[in-house]
Amino acid sequence: MRVLGIETSCDETGVAVYDSERGLLSHVLYSQVAMHADYGGVVPELASRDHVRKLLPLCRQVLDDAGLQLTEIEGIAYTAGPGLVGALMVGGSFAHALGLALGCPVLGVHHMEGHLLAPMLEPDPPAFPFVALLVSGGHTQLVDVQGVGEYRLLGESVDDAAGEAFDKAAKMLGLDYPGGPQVARLAEQGDPARYRFPRPMTDRPGLDFSFSGLKTFTMNTLAAATRGGDDSEQTRADIARAFETAVVETLAIKCRRALRETGRRALVIAGGVSANKRLREQLDTMACKEHARLFYARPEFCTDNGAMIAYAGWQRLRAGQRDGDRILAVPRWPLDQLPSLMTECSAGLKRD
C-alpha cells in the first residue's frame, strides 16, 4: 500500500510517500522558520496561508522524487491534531479533496502518534513494548506503549513543555527563534561548573514534569548577573549550559523512573527536543546502566515531517480505519484516547 502523508500542524509543511513493501520512498519538508522569526514565534494565520501556498508544489515534488503518478497513491494520511486549527484545516481539506478525486481512503492521524512511531522508519526499529518520551515545543509526556494505539500515560508536564521552556529561555538570552537549537549551540561554550539550576519535581515521587519554575530561575539568574554588571557573552553561555543541563537531567531522571516502574527494556525518544545532542548522550548512558536500549529517529524526522504521518497513517489504514466525509481538525487531542489498532482490526471501525 502506498500512502501519501501530509503534515501541516504548525509551521512546517511536510509531504512524504510510504510504501508498505519498499519503505519510505520520498519525503520533502518546507520550514516557515524564516518567516516567523521576525515575530519571535509562530503567527497562526501566516502559517495557514503558507501551507496553502506550498502543499501542491511539495506534493508534486515528492511524487516526482518517488517516481510515481498521483493515481498510484492508494491512501492519504494527514495530521488531524493536535495543532493550530487553521493549519490543520489546510492539510485536512487538501487530503480530503485529493482522496475524493482519486477515490482512495483518507485518514486523519494523531500528530504525537506520528512522532512516537517515527523511530520505526529507522533500519533498527524498536519492538513493542517500550517506554516513550515525547518531548517537543507543545508536549512533554512519558507513555507506556504496548502497541499502536495502546498507550498509557505515565506522566506529563503540568505547565510548560520542555521545548516551550527552551524557546522562552532563548528569548531571555537574546537568541533568535526557534530557541531550542540556539540555546544548545550557545551552551556548548558554557562552563558547566559555574551555575547549578534546580531539577524540578525530581525530589518527589511521580513521573510528571514542571519547567515553568526553571524558566523563572533562568530569568532571575540572568537579571542578577546583569545587575552585577556582567552581561558578557560568556555569562550568557554559562546560563544556557546550566539551563540545558537541568532540563536534560530532569528528563533522564524521570525516564529512569519510568523504566523501573514499568520493567521495560527499551526507551524511545521522539519530538523536536529529542534531536538535542546532550539529551541523547545522557539518556543513552542512563539506558545502558538500566540494561535498556535507547531508540530515536534521525534528526530530520525529529521535527514535524510528512514521513511520520505517512507511516502512522499506513498502520491504521491497513487496519481498515478511515475518515468519513468530515474533515478532522482537533487542536487538543489526548494521545491515550486513541483506539487500539487491535480494536480497529476486530471491529472494523470507521470515523465520521
Side-chain angles (χ1 to χ4, degrees):
M1 185 180 195
R2 287 179 292 274
V3 177
L4 181 72
I6 297 168
E7 157 60 24
T8 62
S9 66
C10 190
D11 61 340
E12 270 109 14
T13 312
V15 185
V17 177
Y18 180 81
D19 187 305
S20 57
E21 298 295 328
R22 300 161 56 195
L24 184 65
L25 300 184
S26 62
H27 68 95
V28 63
L29 182 68
Y30 172 77
S31 175
Q32 303 175 359
V33 164
M35 176 178 67
H36 296 292
D38 291 339
Y39 302 93
V42 178
V43 181
E45 178 63 24
L46 295 181
S48 300
R49 292 183 182 186
D50 221 36
H51 288 313
V52 172
R53 183 174 67 89
K54 296 299 295 185
L55 257 179
L56 185 56
L58 289 179
C59 184
R60 288 171 174 158
Q61 180 181 340
V62 83
L63 288 170
D64 287 344
D65 291 346
L68 295 174
Q69 298 296 317
L70 185 58
T71 52
E72 295 180 87
I73 294 298
E74 299 169 285
I76 302 171
Y78 66 95
T79 301
L84 303 174
V85 66
L88 294 171
M89 284 299 297
V90 173
S93 300
F94 183 88
H96 270 260
L98 198 56
L100 185 63
L102 296 175
C104 68
V106 178
L107 177 67
V109 303
H110 196 290
H111 179 74
M112 296 310 295
E113 182 171 67
H115 276 303
L116 188 152
L117 297 177
M120 300 292 185
L121 293 166
E122 299 304 313
D124 182 23
F128 298 114
F130 54 78
V131 168
L133 172 67
L134 302 178
V135 57
S136 66
H139 298 82
T140 301
Q141 298 177 326
L142 276 166
V143 183
D144 185 35
V145 181
Q146 296 191 38
V148 178
E150 298 180 66
Y151 309 131
R152 179 169 65 94
L153 183 65
L154 301 173
E156 62 185 339
S157 179
V158 299
D159 42 55
D160 291 352
E164 182 181 2
F166 265 106
D167 286 340
K168 290 179 178 178
K171 284 187 177 181
M172 297 175 200
L173 293 166
L175 302 175
D176 293 334
Y177 171 86
Q182 302 287 346
V183 171
R185 194 173 296 114
L186 181 61
E188 291 291 335
Q189 312 303 319
D191 178 359
R194 182 175 178 186
Y195 294 108
R196 177 176 171 80
F197 284 18
R199 277 61 170 160
M201 294 185 71
T202 58
D203 59 348
R204 66 190 75 174
L207 294 171
D208 285 335
F209 302 90
S210 173
F211 295 105
S212 179
L214 190 57
K215 173 193 65 179
T216 302
F217 196 93
T218 302
M219 179 176 63
N220 291 340
T221 302
L222 185 61
T226 302
R227 285 196 302 270
D230 183 1
D231 57 354
S232 66
E233 182 72 8
Q234 184 59 53
T235 293
R236 292 168 61 248
D238 295 343
I239 292 173
R241 179 64 178 267
F243 172 83
E244 182 187 49
T245 300
V247 173
V248 164
E249 291 190 358
T250 297
L251 293 172
I253 290 168
K254 295 301 179 98
C255 285
R256 182 176 64 244
R257 287 184 188 176
L259 288 172
R260 291 179 177 179
E261 289 185 15
T262 60
R264 304 300 187 206
R265 288 293 172 261
L267 173 65
V268 167
I269 57 171
V273 181
S274 71
N276 182 279
K277 178 182 176 182
R278 207 174 303 279
L279 176 62
R280 292 188 176 194
E281 292 173 349
Q282 184 87 10
L283 289 178
D284 192 40
T285 300
M286 180 276 297
C288 286
K289 291 180 180 179
E290 297 296 317
H291 306 290
R293 287 191 63 191
L294 177 67
F295 297 87
Y296 44 77
R298 69 197 79 168
E300 63 191 299
F301 293 156
C302 291
T303 58
D304 298 348
N305 64 87
M308 68 181 192
I309 301 303
Y311 180 80
W314 166 70
Q315 287 279 5
R316 291 186 174 276
L317 283 166
R318 68 172 178 158
Q321 186 177 341
R322 62 231 329 90
D323 285 355
D325 295 332
R326 182 169 60 90
I327 299 167
L328 295 180
V330 191
R332 297 181 182 273
W333 192 359
L335 182 66
D336 56 1
Q337 290 184 2
L338 290 177
S340 164
L341 200 64
M342 293 303 297
T343 301
E344 293 291 301
C345 289
S346 61
L349 297 178
K350 295 185 180 182
R351 298 181 303 180
D352 52 30

